[in-house]
Amino acid sequence: LQFTEEKLGQAEKTELDAHFENLLARADCTKNWTEKILRQTEVLLQPNPSARVEEFLYEKLDRKVPSRVTNGELLAQYMTEAANDFGPGTPYGKTLIKVGETQRRLGAAEREFIHSASINFLTPLRNFLEGDWRTISKERRILQNRRLDLDACKARVKKAKAAEAKAAVTL
């Protein structure tokens, strides 16, 4: 009732401290940017949306995500196989072996980067959103309910005083 009356402009609302309002605004801003950065980093690390959904499901089911071959590693495998078909002694075969080995190392470095970024960068962001932010939201709801209760009590006291004054005037 208090909330509805406040929204309709029929009841007074106790304003929170300006510093506290600023903290709430900063918390909201932090949450919004954290979500955007988290999503975009996930897109950068895994551009394939279906693979991201699969990884998400494995994570939610507390299962280990199967290891994927990176594009660099796959290219290296194809180059090595082609080199073997052409013959490792031919100039083209030798070149394919050298480039294939370099691609394999690049693919392994990419895999390590993705793993490291996931653990060292994405995990703290997720921990904030799933832990700290939930706590902030819960405490914010509790504070809002307490404020509404306080304002409702203030309104009742105001009505009671008005009724007392009216009764004293009529006597």
Side-chain angles (χ1 to χ4, degrees):
L1 181 63
Q2 178 70 25
F3 179 77
T4 305
E5 287 179 354
E6 284 177 9
K7 290 299 179 187
L8 295 174
Q10 298 173 348
E12 290 182 35
K13 178 180 178 181
T14 302
E15 294 300 324
L16 299 173
D17 181 43
H19 177 67
F20 185 73
E21 289 285 351
N22 182 28
L23 288 175
L24 289 176
R26 285 179 43 203
D28 288 336
C29 185
T30 301
K31 178 208 178 244
N32 291 336
W33 281 110
T34 302
E35 286 176 334
K36 288 178 184 179
I37 291 169
L38 177 71
R39 279 193 304 269
Q40 195 56 42
T41 304
E42 287 173 338
V43 168
L44 175 74
L45 295 176
Q46 179 51 268
N48 184 347
S50 61
R52 280 197 311 274
V53 169
E54 181 183 358
E55 289 172 2
F56 175 77
L57 289 174
Y58 274 108
E59 181 182 312
K60 290 300 175 188
L61 296 173
D62 289 331
R63 302 241 172 127
K64 185 175 186 265
V65 179
S67 181
R68 279 197 177 76
V69 176
T70 64
N71 290 330
E73 291 171 321
L74 189 59
L75 179 60
Q77 180 183 346
Y78 290 162
M79 287 181 167
T80 304
E81 289 173 9
N84 290 332
D85 278 352
F86 287 114
T90 64
Y92 188 46
K94 286 179 185 177
T95 304
L96 284 174
I97 288 174
K98 285 180 183 179
V99 175
E101 179 59 28
T102 303
Q103 281 296 329
R104 186 192 61 74
R105 287 194 307 251
L106 284 171
E110 179 185 7
R111 178 194 309 271
E112 177 58 31
F113 170 73
I114 290 170
H115 179 71
S116 175
S118 178
I119 290 173
N120 298 320
F121 186 70
L122 294 178
T123 300
L125 295 179
R126 282 191 191 105
N127 289 343
F128 167 74
L129 291 173
E130 294 171 3
D132 296 341
W133 181 251
R134 283 190 180 163
T135 303
I136 291 169
S137 297
K138 180 180 152 195
E139 296 298 328
R140 181 185 270 179
R141 280 190 304 274
I142 291 170
L143 177 64
Q144 178 72 0
N145 289 334
R146 296 291 195 274
R147 188 198 57 77
L148 288 170
D149 292 344
L150 173 67
D151 288 348
C153 290
K154 282 181 177 178
R156 275 188 255 138
V157 167
K158 193 175 186 181
K159 285 179 186 177
K161 284 184 179 179
E164 270 182 23
K166 187 177 180 182
V169 168
T170 58
L171 289 177

